[in-house]
């Protein structure tokens, strides 16, 4: 992961909570000037006017799956950001950008709001050629290739992470994408859908977990997909192997989905994306004003550290973005502003933090829906 070493990633340590019952607006630090820092690894050009489409004019058909998927994810970005702004009372900053290698994106981020410490929703439409090694990572299969091989591809996707201030409000992540490759080294062009939504609380609240998982179980059943398999796949994917625990408490995930007619899968992907707000926002509304102690805030920061470890070490999307020269600010948008790595951190063996650890160390044994 040499590319990661080049990034200046600053993660602040835990700070004492002066008064956990003070409204967040009063605790928020003064606004800081935005500095856009570009690296030689991933040059991008910012654009003032957001185009109607990021497809290639005269090459990509707007009525094709490429065009329809782009319109779907841009609609989801608007839907999710509007719901978050309504709860938080602040607005998202928007950056529209293009990349010399082909394509571009729209990144919306809200930092230091009233409810969310950091919330981001990014859309990208990218095309060009990618290193064969990145193709192997993307498909998750051991494909033989030469060092200089490059594979023509198209990718469109939306990704998001929401990190609330209150430790009783869960972090939430989602990612939905469509991918195509052209014929390469005798391998026919491929297409597939991928995606999922998962939740990362800091404490076990069964009612919340039943709501979140229940929403996605209903979506899966409506389209004839096996919720239990997608839930198990989610728990397996989000394993922090070196810790022996999952990043959070799951949801659904599907990879390389091309087992049906393309239209059927597109309808399923659209339905799953359309239920993000229903699955997540009511939980945040329920807990956003819950009182919390310095110990509970400290535990949240420890779990944020786990979140960061997974994203930088194991996440396929992060690795793919770095290997294909993606926009670093969008790739690392998922990281929290604050996190903590206290040495030899121990919890009360009879406390709620231990109960949480017991679950994430055996996530597949727990069914919430």
């Amino acid at each position: 992961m040499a590319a990661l070493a080049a990034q200046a990633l600053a993660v602040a340590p835990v700070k004492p909570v002066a008064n956990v019952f003070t409204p967040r607006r009063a605790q928020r630090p003064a606004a800081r000037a935005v500095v856009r820092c570009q690296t030689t690894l991933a040059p991008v050009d910012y654009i003032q006017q957001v185009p109607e489409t990021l497809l290639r004019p005269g090459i990509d058909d707007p009525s094709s799956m490429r065009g329809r998927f782009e319109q779907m994810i841009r609609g989801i970005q608007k839907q999710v950001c509007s719901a978050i702004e309504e709860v938080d009372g602040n607005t998202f900053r928007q950056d529209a950008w293009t990349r010399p290698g082909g394509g571009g994106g729209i990144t919306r981020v809200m930092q230091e709001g009233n409810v969310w410490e950091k919330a981001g929703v990014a859309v990208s439409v990218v095309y060009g050629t990618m290193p064969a090694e990145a193709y192997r990572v993307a498909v998750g299969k051991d494909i033989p290739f030469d060092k200089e091989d490059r594979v023509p591809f198209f990718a469109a996707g939306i990704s998001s992470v929401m990190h609330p201030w209150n430790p009783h409000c869960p972090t939430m992540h989602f990612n939905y994408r469509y991918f195509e490759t052209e014929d390469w080294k005798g391998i026919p062009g491929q297409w597939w859908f991928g995606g999922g939504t998962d939740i990362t609380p800091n404490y076990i609240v069964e009612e919340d977990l039943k709501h979140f998982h229940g929403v996605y179980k209903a979506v899966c059943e409506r389209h004839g997909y096996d919720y239990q398999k997608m839930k198990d796949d989610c728990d397996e994917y989000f394993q922090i192997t070196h810790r022996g625990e999952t990043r959070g408490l799951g949801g659904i995930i599907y990879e390389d989905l091309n087992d049906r007619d393309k239209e059927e899968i597109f309808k399923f992907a659209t339905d799953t994306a359309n239920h993000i707000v229903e699955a997540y926002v009511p939980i945040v509304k329920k807990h956003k004003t819950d009182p919390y102690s310095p110990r509970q805030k400290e535990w949240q920061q420890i779990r944020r550290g786990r979140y960061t470890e997974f994203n930088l070490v194991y996440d396929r999307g992060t690795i793919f973005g770095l290997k294909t020269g993606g926009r670093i600010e969008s790739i690392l948008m998922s990281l929290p502003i604050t996190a903590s790595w206290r040495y030899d951190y121990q919890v009360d063996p009879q406390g709620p933090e231990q109960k949480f650890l017991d679950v994430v160390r055996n996530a597949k044994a727990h069914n919430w829906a």
Side-chain angles (χ1 to χ4, degrees):
M1 300 295 285
L4 287 177
Q7 308 310 315
L9 176 62
V11 182
V14 176
K15 295 181 179 180
V17 180
N19 181 356
V20 297
F21 304 106
T22 302
R24 174 53 53 192
R25 187 183 298 277
Q27 294 186 36
R28 224 169 50 235
R32 294 176 296 204
V34 173
V35 178
R36 288 171 173 167
C37 178
Q38 299 304 317
T39 71
T40 56
L41 177 66
V44 298
D45 294 319
Y46 287 94
I47 52 179
Q48 297 300 316
Q49 186 69 31
V50 178
E52 290 186 11
T53 179
L54 293 165
L55 298 179
R56 296 169 293 183
I59 299 176
D60 298 311
D61 182 357
S63 65
S64 69
M65 185 55 67
R66 295 183 178 192
R68 293 166 61 204
F69 196 86
E70 181 201 9
Q71 290 305 309
M72 186 272 281
I73 59 179
R74 289 181 66 167
I76 294 299
Q77 183 184 51
K78 181 178 180 180
Q79 177 189 121
V80 172
C81 288
S82 294
I84 297 304
E85 288 176 345
E86 182 180 351
V87 175
D88 192 276
N90 283 278
T91 58
F92 282 79
R93 158 187 166 174
Q94 177 172 279
D95 289 331
W97 52 273
T98 60
R99 65 191 280 270
I106 304 162
T107 301
R108 294 181 182 176
V109 175
M110 181 171 65
Q111 294 188 138
E112 297 172 334
N114 294 313
V115 177
W116 281 273
E117 177 185 273
K118 185 180 182 183
V121 188
V123 162
S124 63
V125 175
V126 180
Y127 38 81
T129 64
M130 64 179 176
E133 180 185 2
Y135 178 60
R136 179 186 59 80
V137 171
V139 300
K141 298 175 182 177
D142 189 14
I143 298 172
F145 60 88
D146 297 327
K147 184 177 181 180
E148 302 302 321
D149 282 347
R150 298 190 68 83
V151 183
F153 77 96
F154 168 90
I158 182 170
S159 61
S160 172
V161 174
M162 308 279 173
H163 293 294
W165 291 106
N166 194 311
H168 298 297
C169 291
T171 286
M172 184 272 296
H173 158 261
F174 67 83
N175 179 291
Y176 292 93
R177 57 201 178 275
Y178 175 69
F179 200 93
E180 286 185 8
T181 63
E182 299 177 12
D183 295 351
W184 174 71
K185 296 189 71 169
I187 301 175
Q190 308 288 313
W191 63 265
W192 61 87
F193 294 81
T197 307
D198 62 279
I199 195 167
T200 303
N202 305 297
Y203 294 96
I204 304 295
V205 182
E206 293 196 13
E207 180 181 312
D208 297 344
L209 293 169
K210 288 179 179 179
H211 167 77
F212 182 86
H213 283 266
V215 168
Y216 282 102
K217 182 179 181 181
V219 173
C220 289
E221 291 178 344
R222 191 154 54 243
H223 294 268
Y225 276 105
D226 187 345
Y227 157 78
Q228 190 61 50
K229 181 182 184 306
M230 290 188 176
K231 186 267 184 189
D232 290 344
D233 287 347
C234 187
D235 291 333
E236 183 176 341
Y237 176 78
F238 288 109
Q239 279 285 332
I240 309 173
T241 307
H242 60 272
R243 297 281 188 182
E245 61 191 47
T246 54
R247 187 180 74 178
L249 294 177
I252 63 166
I253 193 172
Y254 53 91
E255 300 282 358
D256 308 338
L257 203 61
N258 59 3
D259 60 337
R260 301 183 184 180
D261 178 79
K262 191 180 290 189
E263 288 294 327
E264 286 188 46
I265 304 176
F266 177 61
K267 289 178 181 178
F268 173 64
T270 302
D271 205 9
T272 52
N274 272 325
H275 281 80
I276 293 163
V277 172
E278 179 184 338
Y280 177 60
V281 172
I283 298 174
V284 175
K285 286 182 176 179
K286 175 182 173 183
H287 295 291
K288 67 178 182 177
T289 58
D290 287 0
Y292 57 88
S293 67
R295 177 183 60 80
Q296 291 168 330
K297 186 66 179 178
E298 179 179 273
W299 174 242
Q300 178 198 51
Q301 298 298 292
I302 294 293
R303 294 311 305 176
R304 292 258 182 92
R306 299 289 204 270
Y307 201 98
T308 302
E309 288 177 26
F310 175 86
N311 281 30
L312 294 182
V313 177
Y314 300 111
D315 186 67
R316 280 170 53 180
T318 301
I319 296 170
F320 174 77
L322 294 173
K323 287 184 179 295
T324 54
R327 179 176 181 260
I328 297 303
E329 289 302 316
S330 295
I331 296 168
L332 300 184
M333 177 190 72
S334 64
L335 301 182
I337 296 177
T338 60
S340 178
W341 288 268
R342 291 181 175 271
Y343 181 75
D344 194 27
Y345 187 82
Q346 302 293 324
V347 301
D348 178 355
Q350 304 302 319
E353 292 81 11
Q354 184 61 54
K355 179 181 179 181
F356 182 90
L357 288 174
D358 291 342
V359 173
V360 296
R361 289 170 180 170
N362 192 20
K364 283 192 176 183
H366 298 270
N367 290 315
W368 307 105

